[in-house]
Structures are given as C-alpha cells and as structure tokens.
Amino acid sequence: YLICNADEGEPGTFKDRYILERDPHLLVEGMAVAARAVGAHRAFAYVRGEYRAGGASLERAVGDAKEAGLLRGLEITIHYGAGSYLCGEETALISSLEGRRGEPRPRPPYPTECGLYGSPTVVNNVETLASLPLILEKGPDSFREATPLIFSVSGHVNRPGLYEYPLGTPLAALLEAAGGVKGDLKAVIVGGLSSPVLPAHRARTLILDYEECREAGTSLGSGALIVMNDTVSIPFIAHRTAAFFSAESCGLCAPCREGMYVVSSLLGTLAQGKGRTEDYLRVLDVCRGITGATLCPAGDSFALSIESMLRSFKDEFPLQKRI
C-alpha cells in the first residue's frame, strides 16, 4: 500500500493545506508515481479532518485523473482523520486507517515490512510526494542541488505565508522575504511547536539546514517558523504549549500521558506569576523523565520543546527565589 500523510496537525504548519487546495493534481501525480515505483495498486490519502476544502479539491483531482485514464489500475481513497494530533505519526495513522484507536505501534517491524493490514506500506507526506513529478522532470541531481523546501512562516512578521527556498538558506533571508519582523525579535520556533525554541541571538545567524539546526539545539522539523517579538510572554507560551500537548497525547504511554498533565498544571501556575522555584525545577525534572521513555517520538518532542523555553528564558519565570 501507499499512504499520503496529509494529517497536518503540527501548530504553525500549513503548507500541505495549500497544496491540497491549490495544486491537488500535482499530489495525485506524485502518488501515482510513488505507487508505480513500489508496485502498489491501492493508495490512501489520510487528510486532516478540518481540511474539508483541501480534501474536496483532492477528491476532484482523483476523479479527473481516473476519468482521463491516468491512474492505470491505481485506486486512491480519501480518508478524513478525526482530529488527533498523534495520527500524524505513521504507525498511529495506520492504526487509525484500519479503524483502530490512533496509537503508535512498536518498531520493528517497520511499516515497509508490516504496515497497513499487515502488508508492506510506504508512508510519505504531501510535500515529498508532490516533489516527485519535479524530480522526474528535472532529474534527481538538479533537485538535489536545490533541495527546495516550503516554509510556513507565521507570527510577528509583516507578510506571513508560504515561502519556498533551498535547504541551507539563512533564516535572516527568509524573515526578510516575509517582510521583516514586527518589532524586536525575541525568539523563533523553527520546525513547528514541537521543536525547541531559539532565542533571538541564536536565531539571527541560523542556517536552515538539518545539521545546522541540530547543532543550534533545535530541529528543522516541518519547516514551520513561528516568529515571536518582545511582546510575547514565554511563560504563557510554555503553558499553552504544554496544555496542547497534554490534550493531544494519545494516552498510551504513562510518562507522556501523566507527565504532560503535570507539566501543564505547573506551568499554569508559573504563567500566573505564582510559581515557586520548586515548580520550575519540577517541570524540568518531569521533562527529563518523559524523554526517551515513550513509544513514539512525540514524548521527546513535547519535553524538549518545553524544556528549551524554560532554559532559554528562565529569567522570565517569576520565582520566589532566582535560580
């Protein structure tokens, strides 16, 4: 089987929605190419439940391709998710597609060995599959030289939106293309809300490359840039982030399920300016306990995101005793 992961639930990310709504035929072509390459005759597009307009565009594009005889025996089914953030993880997505609870599965076996209905399954996202026609047209070497990525830019910039730039572009150039920062830059989340935050002094010199981001202590992730200026309260953002992660935990792993609830509660107190030093240290301790203790990468991402906010902006947390 081939599955297109269009369950775009990462806060700050909206590039898949644009492709679904504005260029669905490109995605259908990419899915047809991928299915032909792996010998799949059945494909699924797992679309975020809120993306009804994008899903409808994709359904029309599939109908157009079928009517034109371009799918050549490939059947593509559009399936809408039910709002679970965790179903963006490939094994949880497969479980959901089978009609089960959207929970991650142990690996190995990997989906390419034992995936949907126990069969070998390839899972790729919208941007990857939509790139295949370009790779075929221009050649892999040409694509590899440019390695274009679509960045979702939101927050305190003058022209939020989607920007396609090559891998290795300086963050400063992307912010300039987005009309510059409104006010004074305070922090940037580079890869969506589950990526560690970077304070302004580290973000200004960042190169948007997987290795460079890793060395800077963050992740390129989904390429979702959330730009924050000096009007933003990091304790408030940390609390909202933890509350979101706590609500979206699938509940399978106790460290994530219980840990993020505790973190959210403690950060709520800290965000109100009523926190104690023990609360701050407890959040860090719980985040360390979550890291490496969950079945899927979500637990690690949640914990690292929160921990980076506390460590990079600890002076913003009003405590009874300064650490």
Side-chain angles (χ1 to χ4, degrees):
Y1 295 102
L2 171 75
I3 299 176
C4 172
N5 183 352
D7 190 51
E8 188 175 47
E10 181 68 24
T13 310
F14 45 92
K15 58 186 176 181
D16 290 355
R17 183 182 69 185
Y18 186 88
I19 295 173
L20 288 170
E21 292 180 358
R22 303 295 185 90
D23 204 352
H25 292 87
L26 182 67
L27 177 58
V28 173
E29 183 179 355
M31 291 179 68
V33 170
R36 179 74 177 272
V38 301
H41 297 284
R42 188 77 189 274
F44 296 85
Y46 189 102
V47 179
R48 177 177 171 174
E50 295 86 347
Y51 283 5
R52 292 291 168 172
S57 295
L58 186 59
E59 287 178 6
R60 287 193 295 269
V62 170
D64 292 343
K66 185 181 294 186
E67 186 177 339
L70 298 174
L71 296 184
R72 297 184 182 180
L74 173 65
E75 182 180 352
I76 298 179
T77 301
I78 314 299
H79 178 93
Y80 290 93
S84 169
Y85 171 84
L86 254 294
C87 283
E89 195 274 336
E90 62 179 8
T91 61
L93 184 155
I94 289 171
S95 294
S96 174
L97 199 53
E98 291 176 339
R100 304 170 187 270
R101 182 179 172 88
E103 295 175 338
R105 301 177 180 179
R107 289 179 289 186
Y110 293 92
T112 49
E113 303 164 346
C114 181
L116 185 64
Y117 306 127
S119 299
T121 305
V122 172
V123 184
N124 264 306
N125 62 35
V126 170
E127 185 181 11
T128 299
L129 291 170
S131 297
L132 293 182
L134 178 63
I135 294 172
L136 284 181
E137 181 183 354
K138 302 292 185 182
D141 292 336
S142 175
F143 185 86
R144 195 179 296 113
E145 286 177 14
T147 317
L149 291 177
I150 303 174
F151 295 93
S152 310
V153 184
S154 63
H156 292 119
V157 291
N158 288 298
R159 289 196 299 270
L162 294 169
Y163 295 86
E164 188 172 31
Y165 275 83
L167 192 67
T169 298
L171 174 61
L174 194 55
L175 294 180
E176 183 180 354
V181 179
K182 292 181 179 179
D184 294 325
L185 181 64
K186 181 174 187 175
V188 178
I189 298 175
V190 177
L193 196 60
S194 60
S195 299
V197 66
L198 286 182
H201 69 277
R202 290 163 65 189
R204 286 193 181 97
T205 58
L206 182 69
I207 302 297
L208 295 171
D209 175 85
Y210 294 106
E211 186 60 36
E212 294 280 349
C213 286
R214 188 159 47 246
E215 290 179 2
T218 188
S219 167
L220 191 56
S222 60
L225 273 65
I226 304 174
V227 182
M228 294 176 277
N229 67 15
D230 57 1
T231 66
V232 172
S233 164
I234 296 299
F236 174 78
I237 295 295
H239 175 230
R240 288 294 299 273
T241 300
F244 173 80
F245 289 155
S246 177
E248 292 297 337
S249 172
C250 73
L252 180 62
C253 304
C256 182
R257 180 185 68 242
E258 306 297 335
M260 288 314 303
Y261 176 80
V262 171
V263 166
S264 176
S265 300
L266 291 171
L267 284 174
T269 303
L270 289 167
Q272 295 173 20
K274 303 175 183 179
R276 303 168 299 169
T277 306
E278 305 93 89
D279 298 329
Y280 178 95
L281 295 175
R282 179 63 175 156
V283 171
L284 292 176
D285 184 55
V286 174
C287 285
R288 283 192 294 268
I290 296 173
T291 305
T294 56
L295 190 59
C296 79
D300 285 11
S301 299
F302 296 171
L304 290 172
S305 173
I306 298 297
E307 190 175 354
S308 71
M309 294 183 193
L310 267 69
R311 293 194 183 280
S312 297
F313 296 93
K314 65 181 180 182
D315 290 341
E316 285 197 37
F317 289 86
L319 307 175
Q320 290 182 358
K321 183 175 69 175
R322 182 56 52 199
I323 297 174

